[in-house]
Amino acid sequence: MKFILSDVKLINLPKIEDPRGNLSFIEEEKHIPFKIERTYWIYDVPGGEIRGGHAFKKQLEFIVALSGSFDITIDDGIEKKTFSLNRSYNGLYIPCGLWREMENFSTNSLAMVLSSTLYSEEDYILEYPDFLKYKGL
Ligand code: TYD
């Protein structure tokens, strides 16, 4: 399936407020529309660095700023939008076939990524011209 920018969604997660500290959670196929096969996280990003800069053919992802803040720019080959993540109780659902870049990481930010697939080098589209070709643009 070919996804476009409007398929990218900022999803609010449950937030159990408590004077002892708040709690949020994610259940697969309930709060996010896929089963989780892998979790990875990005941390200790030096100021000014950019992560991402690729698209995936198959994997769906959900990204939460567990700590700090960063921006994710999504590009479907026709239009682009930047989403700022800075809350532990929401996250960005990014379906496959979309170019993305992550930048403006704050000090001590922690990006948690839930993925629908195991790591696969073959799933990456690394060059932007290849991405446009893949999208038929
Ligand atoms: P990459 O996905 O390119 O990072 P980013 O998009 O955040 O810039 O991954 C960086 C390196 O880590 C690359 O050599 C592949 C490796 N890697 C794994 O081995 N397993 C994983 O689950 C991920 C996400 C990356």
Side-chain angles (χ1 to χ4, degrees), residues 38-42 50-54 56 59 61 100 102 105 113 115 117-121 124 126:
R38 176 169 52 114
T39 303
Y40 62 93
W41 46 98
I42 297 167
I50 299 179
R51 305 279 324 203
H54 51 65
F56 295 118
Q59 71 173 288
E61 290 197 331
R100 66 167 161 102
M102 300 169 71
F105 287 88
V113 187
S115 170
T117 69
L118 299 179
Y119 174 71
S120 156
E121 213 178 318
Y124 282 69
L126 294 170

Side-chain angles (χ1 to χ4, degrees), residues 5 12 16 20-21 24 26-27 32 38 48 53 74-76 80-81 92 97-98 100 103 110-111 127 129-130 133:
L5 193 54
N12 277 317
I16 314 293
R20 298 172 300 155
S24 290
I26 300 169
E27 292 180 2
I32 56 171
R38 176 169 52 114
I74 306 292
D75 176 351
D76 64 8
K80 283 184 192 190
K81 186 172 173 185
L92 194 65
L98 298 166
R100 66 167 161 102
E103 59 190 333
L110 170 59
E127 303 295 336
D130 295 339
K133 216 181 288 172

